[in-house]
Amino acid sequence: MGNGMDSELNRRLLKRGVSEIIIEGELIKYLTSGRKLRLKQGFDPSCPDIHLGHVVGLRKLRQFQELGHEVILIVGDWTAQIGDPSGRSQTRPMLTAQEVKSNADTYMKQFFKVVDRDKTTVVWQSEWFGKFDLAEVIKLTSRFTVAQMLQREDFAKRYAGNQPIAITEFLYPLLQAYDSVVVKADVEFGGTDQKFNCLVGRELQQMLGQPPQQVFLVPLLVGTDGSMKMSKSLGNYISIDEPASDMYGKVLSIPDRLIMDYFELLTDVPDDELTIFRGALENDSVNPMILKKRLARELVTEFHGKPAAQEAERHFEKVVQMGETPEEIEVHATSFEELRQRLLGEMGYARQNGEREMPVGMFASEAVDDAECVSISVPFLLYDELRLVLSRSEAKRLLAQGAVEIDGKKVTDDIVYIRDGSTVKVGKRRFKKIVDADSPTATPAAGETQEVPGETSASGSDSHTTDDSPGGQPVDIVKWLVENHMARSAEEVERLISRGDLQIINENGNHRTVVEHVVNVAPGDVVKYGKRRFAKVADFSSSIDSSAVPADEPEDGESDIATYYASFRQMEDEALLAAARESRASALTATRDSFAPGAKQSTASPQSLAVTVPFILCKTGLVTTQREAKRLLAQGSIEIDGDTITKDIVTIRDGSVITIDKNRCMRIVNADTGL
């Protein structure tokens, strides 16, 4: 940071992509003072995904971070359970603590694809509101009047229209304002729909003797429908986690009148070029599709890397514009027999938990045209099995729109038959061929790419092969880089993966761009992470977490048990935090305090831990989701040290063995003791 701001910096930071600054003169004084500013960004995890509408403000945060300022990210786990219309005509639904936690985890993973993790401090509202009592709530509400609340536009409209407004909704701006007091915010960022709430924060700070925060408002990005602001609930959004080809195609679908807004708000294309683009559109001297393709390349490159953008463009031109079937269709191999069992298990889990039972049709083998088939629900097929969509809700929406085809026929029912070799198409650009892994003919034909669990193929992009090195083994590359001190955090590795900056180079010089956590590596392979950092796999092979590598076949008399090494001292805090977010902290603490005298905890390194079952199963990698862990617990499929587990809180000791379904085992070893 310097003592002045040149005109170019002032324009880029304070003019482009900015709707309003309150008060701009005061903010400029802050920026020229040489002091590191605290930039407040709050979010209510009412949904898990970030779309391009969010990116408008996140790009501004990143620009401020590049000048040395710090982002304070507030997870609104408290206000998300209240509900806030945020400019809507109806109240946002309240969420459970578990929904908030799940959404927040996904949100933050995507948040740090744009914002620098190392210059961000994450705090949870419950850290201070969890201690609020009724007296403090009354004291806070006494500082503002109902008349002041009705100055907010959406409240005023609902009041004038005799529509109900809950008292809890009036609390929302006050709690958001109190956040600014707690974190001592210098600047609060938000969309134009957050102006009222941000100003309440500015006023409350002054009441409590703090300097008032400046308010930095960015425009609301119009969605792909060309009329409403981008929103998941309206279906007019472009998620930053969408596959490259989908993101590319959706950008090309925006109305021509939005092209320049998207360029200005979402890219770093210089203003001089934008002036030329704008003039060309106004005098009809350029085909808008040419500019849309440039825009799509810019955005896909930002979130998926240049090779993926080039392939997405080639795919769009061939499949969408020319109406051809792609030359390479990703093959998804799965055991039809295991698939039937999973469907039955899913149905049983829903029954046990009082959820609406998922329709799954008949699970016995069916013969349709003399072919072996499986009856399956479309949402389960598209989301749980093929991962062609981001959620079951999206699958249902696409089904209702007639955007799903199987073997060239449009799907209208929510139960379908799939057979060995069926091709599934979603929209205009998403294809997968499903084959029965139990079939002796389940090998990809020419022009097809084989999908391997843990690693996703991207047709035509860098060689995303599964293993072109003899003796390759699957390794969680994120954990490997962090544990060997080659990367500072998992978030840093996530950013490298999202930008296409993480590669595996084998001894023959072949490059494979890493797109998932688990990749195949072999001794002698070189990991390239970032632009100029390299590490040879053999150099660190002894410290690869054995839980990420399949164990060798056991010899006679040996048990095939992988080992998970972890610091009990560190895991104790992690387990308590995880339990607190599920409102299970008191139960966990009670279990820990009930340890027998012979198992008394050492303050330096505990030998026993009280943990929730979902936490320890996810932590060790035995399952991938808490939902799966809860299902296994309900089925009685989990054993610890030979005892079947029936409760969701258990005691883990140094050397404990966790077994799932009698065939998946993991030994827990306390890394603090070196045993």
Side-chain angles (χ1 to χ4, degrees):
M1 293 180 290
N3 293 324
M5 291 181 64
D6 59 44
S7 58
E8 172 60 22
L9 175 59
N10 180 74
R11 183 210 57 75
R12 184 175 73 91
L13 191 67
L14 305 181
K15 301 300 180 183
R16 178 166 169 172
V18 180
S19 178
E20 185 178 6
I21 299 174
I22 306 170
I23 300 172
E24 183 174 341
E26 293 183 7
L27 178 57
I28 291 176
K29 288 181 181 178
Y30 278 2
L31 291 170
T32 56
S33 68
R35 179 168 64 89
K36 182 168 75 171
L37 303 180
R38 295 171 64 81
L39 315 173
K40 176 192 172 188
Q41 172 70 54
F43 80 93
D44 286 320
S46 55
C47 60
D49 296 312
I50 290 178
H51 53 63
L52 293 183
H54 299 114
V55 171
V56 177
L58 301 187
R59 284 171 51 81
K60 281 296 167 188
L61 289 174
R62 182 60 184 251
Q63 289 175 9
F64 274 80
Q65 285 182 319
E66 290 170 353
L67 296 175
H69 303 297
E70 179 186 16
V71 171
I72 310 298
L73 176 64
I74 299 177
V75 183
D77 57 330
W78 201 264
T79 50
Q81 297 177 67
I82 293 177
D84 172 50
S86 294
R88 306 176 187 183
S89 59
Q90 60 184 7
T91 302
R92 179 185 295 169
M94 299 180 184
L95 302 178
T96 66
Q98 182 56 38
E99 288 173 328
V100 169
K101 172 61 170 59
S102 177
N103 290 346
D105 287 344
T106 304
Y107 184 102
M108 283 190 281
K109 180 180 178 181
Q110 298 174 16
F111 181 88
F112 293 121
K113 288 186 176 183
V114 184
V115 178
D116 189 342
R117 178 65 181 89
D118 295 330
K119 296 179 181 177
T120 303
T121 298
V122 179
V123 293
W124 295 68
Q125 274 185 329
S126 53
E127 294 177 17
W128 49 91
F129 286 136
K131 304 172 184 177
F132 246 45
D133 58 22
L134 181 59
E136 289 169 308
V137 172
I138 293 174
K139 185 185 301 183
L140 179 61
T141 57
S142 69
R143 297 181 182 275
F144 296 88
T145 66
V146 172
Q148 286 176 292
M149 293 295 105
L150 290 177
Q151 290 176 14
R152 177 165 153 169
E153 184 179 0
D154 54 287
F155 285 157
K157 287 181 179 179
R158 288 161 64 190
Y159 181 75
N162 292 319
Q163 295 178 337
I165 305 173
I167 297 297
T168 52
E169 295 180 67
F170 284 158
L171 281 176
Y172 186 97
L174 304 184
L175 297 177
Q176 181 174 327
Y178 192 78
D179 293 342
S180 296
V181 173
V182 173
V183 302
K184 296 182 172 62
D186 293 312
V187 189
E188 179 166 13
F189 288 73
T192 53
D193 57 346
Q194 286 291 313
K195 180 176 179 178
F196 178 86
N197 291 5
C198 294
L199 290 176
V200 173
R202 180 179 167 87
E203 188 170 347
L204 183 60
Q205 283 180 310
Q206 292 182 89
M207 290 178 180
L208 298 178
Q210 289 186 9
Q213 67 184 13
Q214 308 311 309
V215 177
F216 197 106
L217 303 176
V218 298
L220 301 179
L221 188 71
V222 176
T224 55
D225 59 356
S227 58
M228 304 293 288
K229 78 172 184 177
M230 187 170 286
S231 166
K232 284 185 67 66
S233 61
L234 297 175
N236 64 352
Y237 68 98
I238 303 175
S239 169
I240 69 171
D241 253 9
E242 297 208 41
S245 60
D246 291 351
M247 178 180 286
Y248 187 95
K250 283 189 175 182
V251 173
L252 294 190
S253 74
I254 67 172
D256 294 349
R257 66 180 181 277
L258 296 182
I259 293 175
M260 295 315 302
D261 286 345
Y262 276 52
F263 264 118
E264 180 175 341
L265 299 177
L266 298 171
T267 77
D268 291 322
V269 175
D271 282 352
D272 292 344
E273 281 192 69
L274 297 189
T275 300
I276 296 173
F277 293 169
R278 192 173 287 108
L281 285 171
E282 289 174 355
N283 59 31
D284 295 326
S285 63
V286 65
N287 184 339
M289 182 58 70
I290 294 176
L291 294 183
K292 285 185 184 180
K293 287 186 174 182
R294 167 70 184 278
L295 174 63
R297 285 198 303 272
E298 292 280 344
L299 293 175
V300 176
T301 298
E302 172 71 19
F303 295 105
H304 295 282
K306 187 174 181 180
Q310 293 171 337
E311 169 56 23
E313 183 166 83
R314 187 197 68 80
H315 179 85
F316 180 86
E317 291 172 350
K318 184 175 183 64
V319 177
V320 180
Q321 291 185 315
M322 300 176 66
E324 299 179 20
T325 300
E327 294 176 358
E328 296 185 356
I329 298 179
E330 188 175 305
V331 175
H332 176 84
T334 187
S335 164
F336 275 25
E337 183 57 39
E338 290 183 5
L339 180 58
R340 293 187 188 96
Q341 296 303 316
R342 286 174 53 208
L343 288 166
L344 286 169
E346 180 76 12
M347 197 166 88
Y349 174 81
R351 255 198 314 263
Q352 291 175 11
N353 289 273
E355 299 177 3
R356 182 176 178 269
E357 190 171 302
M358 183 185 71
V360 290
M362 295 182 295
F363 294 98
S365 297
E366 299 288 343
V368 179
D369 296 335
D370 297 323
E372 182 84 1
C373 295
V374 171
S375 176
I376 190 171
S377 78
V378 173
F380 190 94
L381 174 65
L382 299 187
Y383 175 65
D384 298 79
E385 184 63 30
L386 298 181
R387 295 294 179 178
L388 280 168
V389 296
L390 297 175
S391 65
R392 288 188 183 179
S393 297
E394 183 185 3
K396 293 175 183 177
R397 177 174 58 79
L398 291 167
L399 177 63
Q401 294 173 351
V404 181
E405 293 182 10
I406 295 180
D407 295 329
K409 297 179 181 179
K410 184 176 294 186
V411 175
T412 56
D413 297 328
D414 62 350
I415 299 293
V416 295
Y417 284 108
I418 56 170
R419 70 189 72 199
D420 185 16
S422 285
T423 297
V424 181
K425 178 184 178 183
V426 177
K428 295 181 178 180
R429 298 173 291 276
R430 285 174 272 180
F431 296 82
K432 271 191 183 178
K433 182 176 181 178
I434 187 166
V435 299
D436 185 358
D438 299 328
S439 169
T441 61
T443 55
E448 295 176 342
T449 58
Q450 178 76 42
E451 179 187 1
V452 175
E455 191 160 341
T456 303
S457 299
S459 56
S461 57
D462 278 352
S463 301
H464 296 168
T465 55
T466 57
D467 184 20
D468 51 15
S469 303
Q473 290 183 318
V475 172
D476 186 330
I477 198 67
V478 177
K479 291 173 63 178
W480 187 75
L481 286 170
V482 173
E483 291 176 357
N484 288 290
H485 308 293
M486 290 182 280
R488 287 171 292 183
S489 64
E491 288 79 11
E492 179 186 355
V493 185
E494 293 280 3
R495 287 199 298 272
L496 293 172
I497 293 175
S498 68
R499 296 169 183 169
D501 286 339
L502 185 58
Q503 296 181 329
I504 307 295
I505 308 171
N506 70 8
E507 293 179 321
N508 297 323
N510 297 323
H511 289 61
R512 291 177 292 139
T513 301
V514 175
V515 295
E516 293 288 345
H517 284 207
V518 179
V519 293
N520 280 17
V521 297
D525 284 354
V526 171
V527 181
K528 179 184 179 185
Y529 54 115
K531 302 299 183 184
R532 295 177 294 275
R533 292 182 289 174
F534 299 84
K536 193 172 182 179
V537 171
D539 294 342
F540 298 95
S541 59
S542 62
S543 57
I544 294 178
D545 187 346
S546 60
S547 66
V549 183
D552 295 331
E553 289 297 320
E555 298 180 2
D556 292 340
E558 289 186 350
S559 58
D560 186 10
I561 302 177
T563 302
Y564 183 85
Y565 293 91
S567 165
F568 274 28
R569 184 173 58 254
Q570 179 179 345
M571 197 155 58
E572 186 174 39
D573 293 336
E574 294 176 2
L576 187 59
L577 178 59
R581 290 172 179 165
E582 295 185 33
S583 302
R584 300 288 287 149
S586 58
L588 190 70
T589 302
T591 301
R592 182 188 62 191
D593 293 344
S594 67
F595 287 144
K600 186 177 181 181
Q601 301 296 290
S602 163
T603 56
S605 177
Q607 296 301 301
S608 301
L609 288 178
V611 296
T612 65
V613 171
F615 169 80
I616 196 64
L617 295 190
C618 291
K619 180 72 174 176
T620 57
L622 283 167
V623 301
T624 56
T625 65
Q626 291 197 6
R627 182 184 179 88
E628 181 183 2
K630 292 176 181 178
R631 176 176 60 81
L632 291 167
L633 180 62
Q635 293 174 345
S637 301
I638 304 170
E639 294 182 0
I640 296 181
D641 296 332
D643 295 328
T644 300
I645 301 303
T646 58
K647 297 181 179 179
D648 67 339
I649 293 181
V650 296
T651 300
I652 297 294
R653 293 179 173 81
D654 188 12
S656 284
V657 175
I658 303 176
T659 305
I660 295 180
D661 289 331
K662 305 293 185 181
N663 55 24
R664 280 185 286 167
C665 300
M666 184 72 69
R667 188 187 307 279
I668 313 297
V669 173
N670 186 359
D672 297 329
T673 65
L675 296 178

